[in-house]
Each structure stands twice: as C-alpha cells, then as structure tokens.
C-alpha cells in the first residue's frame, strides 16, 4: 500500500513538470518555406534556430534580403515573464515598424499541447510614422506531426488576419553550409 501511494505521489509531482517541458524535437534550425507562408517582401530567406535550456527558449533569426543579412536573438522563459528590448518579429522589416528606443516588451511564454506548441504573448512598444504605440502580439510555434515542420501563427491586435509562416527542419549537415 505504501509503495502504491508513493508511486502515485511521484506521478502527481512529475506529471505537471512533464506538461510544461517543451518537446526537444523543436530544437534546431528551421527554414522558412516562402511559397507556403504569408508574403514577406522584405526577406528572400529566413531561418530560425531554436534552443531549449530548462525553462528558457532561445531564438536566433538569420535572414537575408539580396546581399543584406540580418541576425537577431532573443530568449523567452516559460517559468516567468521577461522584458525584452527589441522583441523580434519576422515581419518587422516588411512593416517598417520598430521597437521604441529605451523600451522593453513584456513577454510571457507557455508550453501548451503537451509541449508541442510554444505560446508567446507580448506587449511590444513600437515607433511608427504616426507616433508611439503598443502592439499586442500573440504567437504559437506549433511543432507538426513527424517533427519535420514547424508552423508559426502570429496575431497582432493591429491586423484582422493572422500571419502564418511554415518552416521545415534543416539537417545539421545542411545547416553548416
């Protein structure tokens, strides 16, 4: 009886921990499939590199437009909200809307769907041609069945339609080229 109770207690303690952990299959380099994604006039290629480390999720964006190369990094934390200066959005260049200088976005990240989807919500202070404003951004990075595709769905309070980006996993050997 004690053993059964101990096993049950162990399961009850570990189950919530497992529910909040991200699927390690999301780690690695993901390449944007331009033909299946929302149109991005400002980019000819776009990769996102995702790295899990405990409750933190690191993102590195490597993007090009002709000879212009842009790299941006940010880390979110699923254990607590973080403040990020210059919260990166793929459409940032396309929209010509940029982070307010000396401001930070409040960002909350949570694993849902058993760790297969990373939900990110951010309040992003922006500088536009009409003045300063705050944009509410909702993102879901959804790892698809088979772990070879990643879909990013992004909603802005300033848009009536979502932005949808399809990524495919890049093999390590191809990523080094």
């Amino acid at each position: 009886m004690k053993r059964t109770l101990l096993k049950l207690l162990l399961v009850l303690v570990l189950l919530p921990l497992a529910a909040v952990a991200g699927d390690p299959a999301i780690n690695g380099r993901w390449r944007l499939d331009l033909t299946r994604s929302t149109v991005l006039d400002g980019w000819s290629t776009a990769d996102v590199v995702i790295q899990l480390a405990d409750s933190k999720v690191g993102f590195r964006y490597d993007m090009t437009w002709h000879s212009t190369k842009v790299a941006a990094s940010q880390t979110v934390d699923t254990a607590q909200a973080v403040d990020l200066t210059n919260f990166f959005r793929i459409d940032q260049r396309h929209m010509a809307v940029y982070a307010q200088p000396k401001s930070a976005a409040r960002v909350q990240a949570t694993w849902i769907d058993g760790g297969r989807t990373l939900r990110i919500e951010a309040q992003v202070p922006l500088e536009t041609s009409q003045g300063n404003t705050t944009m509410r951004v909702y993102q879901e990075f959804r790892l698809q069945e088979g772990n070879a595709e990643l879909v990013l769905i992004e909603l802005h309070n300033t848009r009536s339609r979502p932005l949808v980006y399809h990524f495919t996993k890049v093999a390590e050997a191809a990523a080094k080229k």
Side-chain angles (χ1 to χ4, degrees):
M1 182 67 171
K2 276 186 178 180
R3 223 177 211 177
T4 305
L5 188 57
L6 184 59
K7 284 181 185 178
L8 180 61
L9 184 60
L10 187 59
V11 167
L12 290 174
V13 168
L14 293 179
L15 187 60
L17 293 176
V20 297
D23 190 319
I26 203 168
N27 279 317
R29 179 175 291 272
W30 299 88
R31 182 147 302 142
L32 183 66
D33 182 341
L34 292 168
T35 61
R36 296 173 54 213
S37 299
T38 298
V39 175
L40 285 174
D41 297 334
W43 303 114
S44 49
T45 67
D47 284 6
V48 61
V49 180
I50 300 174
Q51 185 63 49
L52 303 181
D54 298 321
S55 65
K56 293 181 173 51
V57 184
F59 294 89
R60 188 179 82 237
Y61 295 91
D62 298 320
M63 306 174 88
T64 60
W65 181 70
H66 300 293
S67 62
T68 302
K69 294 181 186 299
V70 172
S73 297
Q74 64 190 21
T75 301
V76 299
D77 193 334
T78 59
Q80 62 188 356
V82 295
D83 292 323
L84 297 176
T85 57
N86 201 11
F87 177 78
F88 188 80
R89 302 174 331 276
I90 292 174
D91 69 327
Q92 190 164 298
R93 177 185 174 109
H94 178 71
M95 291 178 57
V97 174
Y98 302 97
Q100 288 179 21
K102 300 179 183 176
S103 294
R106 188 72 173 158
V107 182
Q108 179 68 53
T110 309
W111 288 108
I112 59 175
D113 301 332
R116 306 258 320 151
T117 300
L118 180 64
R119 178 180 60 208
I120 298 174
E121 297 178 71
Q123 300 288 326
V124 185
L126 296 175
E127 189 174 83
T128 71
S129 59
Q130 292 82 26
N132 291 342
T133 189
T134 298
M135 180 170 63
R136 186 173 41 81
V137 177
Y138 177 89
Q139 297 176 322
E140 285 191 4
F141 287 85
R142 294 181 179 177
L143 187 58
Q144 300 298 292
E145 190 71 32
N147 300 334
E149 291 186 41
L150 181 71
V151 175
L152 168 57
I153 300 168
E154 187 168 290
L155 300 169
H156 299 177
N157 69 307
T158 58
R159 293 177 155 260
S160 59
R161 292 186 178 175
L163 303 168
V164 180
Y165 305 112
H166 293 264
F167 293 87
T168 54
K169 189 82 172 240
V170 178
E172 278 189 48
K176 294 178 182 176
K177 292 180 182 179

